[in-house]
Coordinates of all heavy atoms in Angstrom, one line a residue:
M1 N 35.8 23.2 -55.9 CA 35.0 24.3 -56.4 C 34.4 23.7 -57.7 O 35.1 23.2 -58.6 CB 35.9 25.5 -56.7 CG 35.2 26.6 -57.4 SD 36.1 28.1 -57.5 CE 36.6 28.0 -59.3
Q2 N 33.1 23.8 -57.8 CA 32.3 23.3 -59.0 C 32.2 24.5 -60.0 O 32.0 25.6 -59.6 CB 31.0 22.9 -58.6 CG 31.0 21.6 -57.9 CD 29.6 21.0 -57.7 OE1 28.6 21.8 -57.8 NE2 29.4 19.8 -57.4
V3 N 32.4 24.2 -61.2 CA 32.2 25.1 -62.3 C 31.1 24.7 -63.2 O 31.0 23.5 -63.6 CB 33.5 25.2 -63.2 CG1 33.3 26.2 -64.3 CG2 34.7 25.6 -62.3
S4 N 30.1 25.6 -63.4 CA 28.9 25.2 -64.2 C 29.3 25.0 -65.7 O 30.3 25.5 -66.1 CB 27.9 26.3 -64.1 OG 28.3 27.4 -64.8
G5 N 28.5 24.3 -66.4 CA 28.7 24.0 -67.8 C 28.6 25.3 -68.6 O 29.4 25.5 -69.5
Q6 N 27.8 26.2 -68.2 CA 27.7 27.5 -68.9 C 29.0 28.3 -68.8 O 29.4 28.9 -69.7 CB 26.5 28.3 -68.4 CG 26.2 29.5 -69.3 CD 24.9 30.1 -68.9 OE1 24.3 29.9 -67.9 NE2 24.3 30.9 -69.8
A7 N 29.5 28.3 -67.6 CA 30.8 29.0 -67.3 C 31.9 28.4 -68.1 O 32.7 29.2 -68.7 CB 31.1 29.0 -65.8
M8 N 31.9 27.1 -68.3 CA 32.9 26.4 -69.1 C 32.8 26.8 -70.6 O 33.8 27.0 -71.2 CB 32.9 24.9 -68.9 CG 33.3 24.5 -67.5 SD 33.3 22.8 -67.2 CE 34.5 22.2 -68.4
L9 N 31.5 26.9 -71.0 CA 31.3 27.3 -72.4 C 31.7 28.7 -72.7 O 32.4 29.0 -73.7 CB 29.8 27.1 -72.8 CG 29.3 25.7 -73.0 CD1 27.8 25.7 -73.2 CD2 30.0 25.1 -74.2
I10 N 31.5 29.6 -71.7 CA 31.9 31.0 -71.9 C 33.4 31.1 -71.9 O 34.0 31.8 -72.8 CB 31.3 31.9 -70.8 CG1 29.8 32.0 -71.0 CG2 31.9 33.3 -70.8 CD1 29.1 32.6 -69.8
A11 N 34.1 30.4 -71.0 CA 35.5 30.4 -71.0 C 36.1 29.8 -72.2 O 37.1 30.4 -72.8 CB 36.0 29.7 -69.7
G12 N 35.6 28.7 -72.7 CA 36.1 28.1 -73.9 C 35.9 29.1 -75.1 O 36.8 29.2 -76.0
G13 N 34.7 29.7 -75.2 CA 34.5 30.7 -76.3 C 35.5 31.8 -76.3 O 35.9 32.3 -77.3
L14 N 35.7 32.3 -75.1 CA 36.7 33.4 -74.9 C 38.1 33.0 -75.3 O 38.8 33.8 -76.0 CB 36.7 33.9 -73.5 CG 35.4 34.7 -73.1 CD1 35.5 35.1 -71.6 CD2 35.2 35.9 -73.9
L15 N 38.4 31.8 -75.0 CA 39.8 31.3 -75.4 C 39.9 31.1 -76.9 O 40.9 31.5 -77.5 CB 40.0 29.9 -74.8 CG 40.4 29.9 -73.3 CD1 40.5 28.5 -72.7 CD2 41.7 30.7 -73.0
V16 N 38.8 30.6 -77.6 CA 38.8 30.5 -79.0 C 38.9 31.9 -79.7 O 39.7 32.2 -80.6 CB 37.6 29.8 -79.5 CG1 37.4 29.9 -81.0 CG2 37.6 28.3 -79.1
A17 N 38.1 32.9 -79.2 CA 38.1 34.2 -79.7 C 39.5 34.9 -79.5 O 40.0 35.5 -80.4 CB 37.1 35.1 -79.0
A18 N 40.1 34.7 -78.4 CA 41.5 35.2 -78.1 C 42.5 34.6 -79.1 O 43.3 35.3 -79.6 CB 41.9 35.0 -76.7
Y19 N 42.4 33.3 -79.3 CA 43.3 32.6 -80.2 C 43.2 33.2 -81.6 O 44.2 33.5 -82.2 CB 43.1 31.1 -80.2 CG 43.9 30.4 -81.2 CD1 45.2 30.1 -80.9 CD2 43.4 30.0 -82.4 CE1 46.0 29.4 -81.8 CE2 44.1 29.3 -83.3 CZ 45.5 29.0 -83.0 OH 46.2 28.3 -83.9
V20 N 42.0 33.4 -82.0 CA 41.8 33.9 -83.4 C 42.3 35.3 -83.5 O 42.9 35.7 -84.5 CB 40.3 33.8 -83.8 CG1 40.0 34.5 -85.1 CG2 39.9 32.3 -83.9
V21 N 42.1 36.1 -82.5 CA 42.6 37.5 -82.5 C 44.1 37.6 -82.6 O 44.7 38.3 -83.4 CB 42.1 38.3 -81.3 CG1 42.8 39.6 -81.2 CG2 40.6 38.5 -81.5
F22 N 44.8 36.7 -81.8 CA 46.2 36.7 -81.8 C 46.8 36.1 -83.1 O 47.9 36.4 -83.5 CB 46.8 35.9 -80.6 CG 46.6 36.7 -79.3 CD1 45.9 36.2 -78.3 CD2 47.2 38.0 -79.2 CE1 45.7 36.9 -77.1 CE2 47.0 38.7 -78.0 CZ 46.3 38.2 -77.0
K23 N 46.0 35.3 -83.8 CA 46.5 34.7 -85.1 C 45.9 35.4 -86.3 O 45.9 34.9 -87.4 CB 46.0 33.2 -85.1 CG 46.7 32.3 -84.1 CD 48.2 32.2 -84.4 CE 48.9 31.3 -83.5 NZ 50.3 31.1 -83.8
K24 N 45.5 36.6 -86.0 CA 44.9 37.5 -87.1 C 45.7 37.6 -88.4 O 45.1 37.5 -89.5 CB 44.6 38.9 -86.5 CG 44.0 39.8 -87.4 CD 43.8 41.1 -86.7 CE 43.5 42.3 -87.7 NZ 43.4 43.5 -87.0
K25 N 47.0 37.7 -88.2 CA 47.8 37.9 -89.4 C 47.8 36.6 -90.3 O 47.8 36.7 -91.5 CB 49.3 38.1 -89.0 CG 49.4 39.4 -88.2 CD 50.8 39.6 -87.7 CE 50.9 40.7 -86.8 NZ 52.2 40.8 -86.1
D26 N 47.7 35.4 -89.7 CA 47.7 34.2 -90.4 C 46.3 33.9 -91.0 O 46.2 33.2 -92.0 CB 48.1 33.0 -89.6 CG 49.6 33.2 -89.1 OD1 50.3 33.9 -89.7 OD2 49.9 32.6 -88.0
L27 N 45.2 34.3 -90.4 CA 43.9 33.8 -90.8 C 43.2 34.8 -91.7 O 42.3 34.4 -92.4 CB 43.1 33.6 -89.5 CG 43.5 32.5 -88.6 CD1 42.7 32.5 -87.3 CD2 43.5 31.1 -89.3
G28 N 43.5 36.1 -91.7 CA 42.8 37.1 -92.5 C 41.6 37.6 -91.7 O 41.2 37.2 -90.6
T29 N 41.0 38.6 -92.3 CA 39.9 39.3 -91.6 C 38.6 38.5 -91.5 O 37.8 38.7 -90.6 CB 39.6 40.7 -92.3 OG1 39.3 40.4 -93.7 CG2 40.8 41.6 -92.2
A30 N 38.3 37.6 -92.5 CA 37.0 36.9 -92.4 C 36.9 36.0 -91.2 O 35.9 36.0 -90.5 CB 36.9 36.0 -93.6
A31 N 38.1 35.4 -90.8 CA 38.1 34.5 -89.6 C 38.0 35.3 -88.4 O 37.3 34.9 -87.4 CB 39.3 33.7 -89.6
V32 N 38.6 36.5 -88.4 CA 38.5 37.4 -87.2 C 37.1 37.9 -87.0 O 36.6 38.0 -85.9 CB 39.5 38.6 -87.3 CG1 39.3 39.5 -86.2 CG2 40.9 38.0 -87.4
D33 N 36.4 38.2 -88.1 CA 35.0 38.6 -88.0 C 34.1 37.5 -87.5 O 33.2 37.8 -86.7 CB 34.5 39.1 -89.4 CG 35.1 40.4 -89.9 OD1 35.7 41.1 -89.0 OD2 35.1 40.7 -91.1
A34 N 34.4 36.3 -87.9 CA 33.6 35.2 -87.4 C 33.9 34.9 -85.9 O 32.9 34.7 -85.2 CB 34.0 33.9 -88.2
A35 N 35.1 35.1 -85.5 CA 35.4 35.0 -84.1 C 34.7 36.0 -83.3 O 34.3 35.8 -82.2 CB 36.9 35.0 -83.9
G36 N 34.7 37.2 -83.8 CA 34.0 38.3 -83.2 C 32.5 38.0 -83.0 O 31.9 38.3 -82.0
G37 N 31.9 37.4 -84.0 CA 30.5 37.0 -83.9 C 30.3 35.9 -82.8 O 29.3 35.9 -82.1
V38 N 31.2 34.9 -82.8 CA 31.1 33.9 -81.7 C 31.3 34.5 -80.3 O 30.5 34.2 -79.4 CB 32.3 32.9 -81.9 CG1 32.4 32.0 -80.7 CG2 32.0 32.1 -83.2
G39 N 32.2 35.5 -80.2 CA 32.4 36.1 -78.9 C 31.1 37.0 -78.5 O 30.7 37.0 -77.3
E40 N 30.6 37.6 -79.5 CA 29.4 38.4 -79.2 C 28.2 37.5 -78.8 O 27.5 37.8 -77.9 CB 29.0 39.2 -80.5 CG 27.7 40.0 -80.3 CD 27.4 40.8 -81.6 OE1 28.2 40.9 -82.5 OE2 26.3 41.4 -81.6
T41 N 28.1 36.4 -79.5 CA 27.0 35.4 -79.1 C 27.2 34.9 -77.7 O 26.3 34.8 -76.9 CB 27.0 34.2 -80.1 OG1 26.8 34.8 -81.4 CG2 25.9 33.3 -79.8
I42 N 28.4 34.6 -77.3 CA 28.7 34.0 -76.0 C 28.4 35.1 -75.0 O 27.8 34.9 -73.9 CB 30.2 33.6 -75.9 CG1 30.4 32.3 -76.8 CG2 30.6 33.3 -74.5 CD1 31.8 31.9 -77.0
G43 N 28.8 36.4 -75.3 CA 28.5 37.5 -74.4 C 27.1 37.7 -74.2 O 26.6 37.9 -73.0
Q44 N 26.3 37.6 -75.2 CA 24.8 37.7 -75.1 C 24.2 36.6 -74.3 O 23.3 36.9 -73.5 CB 24.2 37.8 -76.5 CG 24.4 39.0 -77.3 CD 24.0 39.0 -78.7 OE1 23.6 37.9 -79.2 NE2 24.0 40.1 -79.4
G45 N 24.8 35.4 -74.4 CA 24.3 34.3 -73.6 C 24.5 34.5 -72.1 O 23.7 34.2 -71.3
A46 N 25.7 35.1 -71.8 CA 26.0 35.4 -70.4 C 25.1 36.4 -69.9 O 24.7 36.3 -68.7 CB 27.5 35.8 -70.3
V47 N 24.8 37.4 -70.7 CA 23.9 38.5 -70.2 C 22.5 38.0 -70.0 O 21.9 38.3 -69.0 CB 23.9 39.7 -71.2 CG1 22.8 40.7 -70.9 CG2 25.3 40.4 -71.2
A48 N 22.1 37.1 -70.9 CA 20.7 36.5 -70.8 C 20.6 35.7 -69.5 O 19.6 35.7 -68.8 CB 20.4 35.8 -72.0
A49 N 21.7 34.9 -69.3 CA 21.7 34.0 -68.1 C 21.6 34.9 -66.8 O 20.9 34.6 -65.9 CB 22.9 33.1 -68.1
T50 N 22.4 35.9 -66.8 CA 22.5 36.8 -65.6 C 21.1 37.5 -65.4 O 20.6 37.6 -64.3 CB 23.6 37.8 -65.8 OG1 24.8 37.1 -66.0 CG2 23.7 38.7 -64.5
S51 N 20.5 38.0 -66.5 CA 19.3 38.7 -66.3 C 18.2 37.7 -65.9 O 17.3 38.1 -65.1 CB 18.9 39.4 -67.6 OG 18.7 38.5 -68.7
G52 N 18.2 36.5 -66.4 CA 17.3 35.5 -65.9 C 17.4 35.2 -64.4 O 16.3 35.1 -63.8
V53 N 18.6 35.2 -63.9 CA 18.8 35.0 -62.5 C 18.2 36.1 -61.7 O 17.5 36.0 -60.7 CB 20.3 34.7 -62.2 CG1 20.5 34.8 -60.7 CG2 20.8 33.4 -62.8
V54 N 18.5 37.4 -62.2 CA 18.1 38.6 -61.5 C 16.5 38.6 -61.5 O 15.9 38.9 -60.5 CB 18.7 39.8 -62.2 CG1 18.0 41.1 -61.6 CG2 20.2 39.9 -61.9
L55 N 15.9 38.3 -62.6 CA 14.4 38.4 -62.7 C 13.9 37.3 -61.8 O 12.8 37.5 -61.1 CB 14.0 38.2 -64.1 CG 14.2 39.3 -65.1 CD1 13.8 38.9 -66.5 CD2 13.5 40.6 -64.6
G56 N 14.5 36.1 -61.7 CA 14.0 35.1 -60.8 C 14.1 35.5 -59.4 O 13.1 35.2 -58.6
I57 N 15.2 36.1 -59.0 CA 15.3 36.6 -57.6 C 14.2 37.6 -57.3 O 13.6 37.6 -56.2 CB 16.7 37.1 -57.3 CG1 17.7 36.0 -57.4 CG2 16.8 37.9 -56.0 CD1 19.2 36.4 -57.3
G58 N 14.1 38.6 -58.2 CA 13.0 39.6 -58.0 C 11.6 39.1 -57.9 O 10.9 39.5 -57.1
D59 N 11.3 38.1 -58.8 CA 10.0 37.4 -58.7 C 9.8 36.7 -57.3 O 8.8 36.8 -56.8 CB 9.8 36.4 -59.8 CG 9.7 37.1 -61.2 OD1 9.5 38.3 -61.2 OD2 9.9 36.4 -62.2
G60 N 10.9 36.1 -56.9 CA 10.8 35.4 -55.6 C 10.6 36.3 -54.4 O 10.0 36.0 -53.4
L61 N 11.2 37.5 -54.5 CA 11.0 38.5 -53.5 C 9.8 39.3 -53.6 O 9.5 40.1 -52.7 CB 12.3 39.4 -53.4 CG 13.6 38.8 -53.1 CD1 14.7 39.8 -53.2 CD2 13.5 38.2 -51.7
G62 N 9.1 39.2 -54.7 CA 7.9 40.0 -54.9 C 8.1 41.3 -55.5 O 7.2 42.2 -55.5
V63 N 9.2 41.6 -56.1 CA 9.5 42.9 -56.8 C 8.8 42.8 -58.1 O 9.1 42.0 -58.9 CB 11.0 43.1 -56.9 CG1 11.3 44.4 -57.6 CG2 11.7 43.1 -55.5
P64 N 8.0 43.8 -58.4 CA 7.2 43.8 -59.7 C 8.2 44.1 -60.8 O 9.1 45.0 -60.7 CB 6.2 44.9 -59.5 CG 6.6 45.8 -58.5 CD 7.5 44.9 -57.6
R65 N 8.0 43.5 -62.0 CA 8.8 43.8 -63.2 C 8.3 45.1 -63.8 O 7.2 45.4 -63.7 CB 8.6 42.7 -64.2 CG 9.2 41.4 -63.7 CD 9.2 40.4 -64.8 NE 9.7 39.1 -64.4 CZ 10.0 38.1 -65.1 NH1 9.7 38.1 -66.4 NH2 10.5 37.0 -64.6
T66 N 9.3 45.9 -64.3 CA 9.0 47.2 -64.8 C 8.5 47.2 -66.2 O 8.0 48.2 -66.7 CB 10.2 48.1 -64.6 OG1 11.3 47.6 -65.3 CG2 10.6 48.3 -63.2
N67 N 8.7 46.2 -66.9 CA 8.4 46.1 -68.3 C 7.1 45.2 -68.6 O 7.1 44.6 -69.6 CB 9.6 45.7 -69.2 CG 10.0 44.3 -68.8 OD1 9.7 43.7 -67.8 ND2 10.8 43.7 -69.7
M68 N 6.2 45.3 -67.7 CA 5.0 44.4 -67.8 C 4.1 45.0 -68.9 O 3.9 46.2 -69.0 CB 4.3 44.3 -66.5 CG 5.1 43.6 -65.4 SD 4.3 43.6 -63.8 CE 3.0 42.4 -64.1
T69 N 3.4 44.1 -69.6 CA 2.4 44.6 -70.6 C 1.1 45.0 -69.7 O 1.0 44.6 -68.6 CB 2.0 43.5 -71.6 OG1 1.5 42.4 -70.9 CG2 3.3 43.1 -72.4
E70 N 0.2 45.6 -70.4 CA -1.1 46.0 -69.7 C -1.8 44.7 -69.3 O -2.4 44.7 -68.2 CB -2.0 46.8 -70.7 CG -3.2 47.3 -70.0 CD -3.0 48.1 -68.8 OE1 -2.1 48.9 -68.7 OE2 -3.9 48.0 -67.9
C71 N -1.7 43.7 -70.1 CA -2.4 42.4 -69.7 C -1.7 41.8 -68.5 O -2.5 41.4 -67.5 CB -2.2 41.4 -70.9 SG -2.7 39.7 -70.5
E72 N -0.4 41.8 -68.4 CA 0.3 41.3 -67.2 C 0.0 42.1 -66.0 O -0.2 41.6 -64.9 CB 1.8 41.2 -67.5 CG 2.2 40.2 -68.5 CD 3.7 40.4 -69.0 OE1 4.2 41.5 -68.8 OE2 4.2 39.4 -69.4
R73 N 0.0 43.4 -66.1 CA -0.4 44.3 -65.0 C -1.8 44.0 -64.5 O -2.0 44.0 -63.3 CB -0.2 45.8 -65.4 CG 1.2 46.3 -65.3 CD 1.2 47.8 -65.4 NE 0.7 48.4 -66.6 CZ 1.4 48.5 -67.7 NH1 2.7 48.3 -67.7 NH2 0.9 49.0 -68.8
A74 N -2.7 43.9 -65.4 CA -4.1 43.7 -65.0 C -4.2 42.4 -64.2 O -4.9 42.3 -63.2 CB -5.0 43.7 -66.2
K75 N -3.6 41.3 -64.7 CA -3.6 40.0 -64.1 C -2.9 40.1 -62.7 O -3.4 39.5 -61.7 CB -3.0 38.9 -64.9 CG -3.8 38.6 -66.2 CD -3.3 37.4 -66.9 CE -1.9 37.5 -67.4 NZ -1.5 36.3 -68.3
A76 N -1.8 40.8 -62.6 CA -1.1 40.8 -61.3 C -1.9 41.6 -60.3 O -1.8 41.3 -59.1 CB 0.3 41.5 -61.6
E77 N -2.6 42.6 -60.8 CA -3.4 43.4 -59.8 C -4.8 42.8 -59.6 O -5.6 43.4 -58.8 CB -3.5 44.9 -60.3 CG -2.2 45.6 -60.4 CD -2.2 46.9 -61.2 OE1 -3.4 47.3 -61.6 OE2 -1.2 47.5 -61.3
G78 N -5.1 41.7 -60.2 CA -6.4 41.1 -60.0 C -7.6 41.8 -60.7 O -8.7 41.6 -60.4
R79 N -7.3 42.6 -61.7 CA -8.3 43.3 -62.5 C -8.8 42.4 -63.6 O -8.4 42.6 -64.8 CB -7.8 44.7 -63.0 CG -7.4 45.6 -61.8 CD -7.0 47.0 -62.3 NE -5.6 46.8 -62.9 CZ -5.4 47.3 -64.2 NH1 -6.2 47.9 -64.9 NH2 -4.1 47.1 -64.6
T80 N -9.7 41.5 -63.3 CA -10.2 40.5 -64.3 C -10.8 41.2 -65.5 O -10.7 40.9 -66.7 CB -11.0 39.5 -63.7 OG1 -10.4 38.9 -62.6 CG2 -11.4 38.4 -64.6
W81 N -11.7 42.2 -65.2 CA -12.4 42.9 -66.2 C -11.5 43.6 -67.2 O -11.6 43.5 -68.4 CB -13.4 43.9 -65.6 CG -14.2 44.7 -66.6 CD1 -14.1 46.0 -67.0 CD2 -15.3 44.1 -67.3 NE1 -15.1 46.3 -68.0 CE2 -15.8 45.1 -68.2 CE3 -16.0 42.9 -67.4 CZ2 -16.9 45.0 -69.0 CZ3 -17.1 42.7 -68.2 CH2 -17.5 43.8 -69.0
D82 N -10.5 44.3 -66.7 CA -9.5 44.9 -67.6 C -8.6 43.9 -68.4 O -8.3 44.2 -69.5 CB -8.6 45.9 -66.8 CG -9.3 47.1 -66.2 OD1 -10.3 47.5 -66.8 OD2 -8.9 47.6 -65.2
A83 N -8.3 42.8 -67.7 CA -7.6 41.8 -68.4 C -8.3 41.2 -69.5 O -7.7 40.8 -70.5 CB -7.2 40.7 -67.3
S84 N -9.6 41.1 -69.4 CA -10.4 40.5 -70.5 C -10.3 41.3 -71.8 O -10.4 40.8 -72.9 CB -11.9 40.5 -70.1 OG -12.5 41.7 -70.0
F85 N -10.0 42.6 -71.7 CA -9.8 43.5 -72.9 C -8.4 43.6 -73.3 O -8.1 43.7 -74.5 CB -10.4 44.9 -72.6 CG -11.8 45.0 -72.4 CD1 -12.3 45.2 -71.1 CD2 -12.7 44.8 -73.4 CE1 -13.7 45.2 -70.9 CE2 -14.1 44.9 -73.2 CZ -14.6 45.1 -72.0
A86 N -7.4 43.5 -72.4 CA -6.0 43.7 -72.7 C -5.3 42.4 -73.1 O -4.3 42.5 -73.8 CB -5.3 44.3 -71.4
C87 N -5.8 41.3 -72.7 CA -5.1 40.0 -72.9 C -5.6 39.3 -74.2 O -6.8 39.4 -74.5 CB -5.3 39.1 -71.8 SG -4.6 39.7 -70.2
P88 N -4.7 38.6 -74.9 CA -5.2 37.7 -75.9 C -6.1 36.6 -75.2 O -6.0 36.3 -74.1 CB -4.0 37.0 -76.5 CG -2.8 37.9 -76.0 CD -3.3 38.6 -74.8
A89 N -7.0 36.1 -76.1 CA -8.0 35.1 -75.5 C -7.4 34.0 -74.8 O -7.9 33.6 -73.7 CB -8.9 34.6 -76.7
G90 N -6.4 33.3 -75.3 CA -5.8 32.2 -74.7 C -5.2 32.6 -73.3 O -5.3 31.8 -72.3
D91 N -4.5 33.7 -73.2 CA -3.9 34.1 -72.0 C -5.0 34.4 -70.9 O -4.9 34.1 -69.8 CB -3.1 35.4 -72.2 CG -1.8 35.1 -72.9 OD1 -1.4 34.0 -73.0 OD2 -1.1 36.1 -73.2
F92 N -6.1 35.1 -71.4 CA -7.1 35.4 -70.5 C -7.9 34.2 -69.9 O -8.1 34.1 -68.7 CB -8.2 36.4 -71.2 CG -9.3 36.7 -70.3 CD1 -9.2 37.5 -69.2 CD2 -10.6 36.2 -70.6 CE1 -10.3 37.8 -68.3 CE2 -11.6 36.5 -69.7 CZ -11.5 37.3 -68.6
L93 N -8.1 33.3 -70.8 CA -8.9 32.1 -70.4 C -8.0 31.3 -69.4 O -8.5 30.7 -68.4 CB -9.3 31.2 -71.6 CG -10.4 31.9 -72.4 CD1 -10.7 31.0 -73.6 CD2 -11.7 32.0 -71.6
S94 N -6.7 31.2 -69.7 CA -5.8 30.4 -68.7 C -5.7 31.1 -67.4 O -5.6 30.5 -66.4 CB -4.5 30.2 -69.4 OG -3.8 31.4 -69.5
Y95 N -5.8 32.5 -67.4 CA -5.8 33.2 -66.2 C -7.1 33.0 -65.4 O -7.0 32.8 -64.2 CB -5.6 34.7 -66.5 CG -5.9 35.7 -65.4 CD1 -5.1 35.8 -64.3 CD2 -7.0 36.5 -65.4 CE1 -5.4 36.6 -63.2 CE2 -7.4 37.4 -64.4 CZ -6.5 37.4 -63.3 OH -6.8 38.3 -62.3
V96 N -8.2 33.0 -66.0 CA -9.5 32.9 -65.4 C -9.7 31.5 -64.8 O -10.1 31.3 -63.7 CB -10.7 33.2 -66.3 CG1 -12.0 32.8 -65.8 CG2 -10.6 34.7 -66.7
F97 N -9.2 30.5 -65.5 CA -9.5 29.1 -65.1 C -8.4 28.5 -64.2 O -8.4 27.4 -63.8 CB -9.8 28.2 -66.3 CG -11.1 28.5 -66.9 CD1 -11.2 29.1 -68.1 CD2 -12.3 28.2 -66.2 CE1 -12.4 29.4 -68.7 CE2 -13.5 28.5 -66.8 CZ -13.6 29.1 -68.0
N98 N -7.4 29.3 -63.9 CA -6.3 28.8 -63.0 C -6.3 29.5 -61.7 O -6.9 30.3 -61.2 CB -4.9 29.0 -63.6 CG -4.6 28.0 -64.7 OD1 -5.2 26.9 -64.7 ND2 -3.8 28.3 -65.6

């Protein structure tokens, strides 16, 4: 069974956070707060990775994203005239010439 590098980082971070929580009496509250920040960061990374996978699958299946800007909607629907007003110049020009 292969374990990805990200999964190993998450597991290692959780182990460090658990160690600090159990050693709370010896380390004081500042170290526990720091460990909480590390755990929170690791958790956010896991959520970001998961959401990236979900969005990638949805894009592959053709499911439209629900949080698209007006510019992105106009480009996705092929409304070039509307995109010219809704998009920044760089985005619009790259859309037109690609």
Side-chain angles (χ1 to χ4, degrees):
M1 177 172 104
Q2 289 186 341
V3 179
S4 71
Q6 189 172 18
M8 291 179 64
L9 286 174
I10 291 170
L14 291 175
L15 287 174
V16 168
Y19 175 77
V20 171
V21 168
F22 287 121
K23 294 294 184 176
K24 176 180 169 181
K25 295 175 190 171
D26 297 335
L27 296 174
T29 58
V32 174
D33 291 342
V38 169
E40 182 179 347
T41 302
I42 291 170
Q44 290 172 350
V47 169
T50 304
S51 64
V53 169
V54 170
L55 290 176
I57 292 171
D59 291 344
L61 295 176
V63 177
R65 294 186 180 189
T66 58
N67 61 345
M68 295 174 76
T69 65
E70 183 60 33
C71 171
E72 292 169 334
R73 277 195 297 271
K75 291 190 301 186
E77 295 170 3
R79 295 182 290 128
T80 306
W81 183 254
D82 294 334
S84 70
F85 295 106
C87 298
D91 287 348
F92 177 69
L93 291 175
S94 66
Y95 165 69
V96 170
F97 291 108
N98 284 335

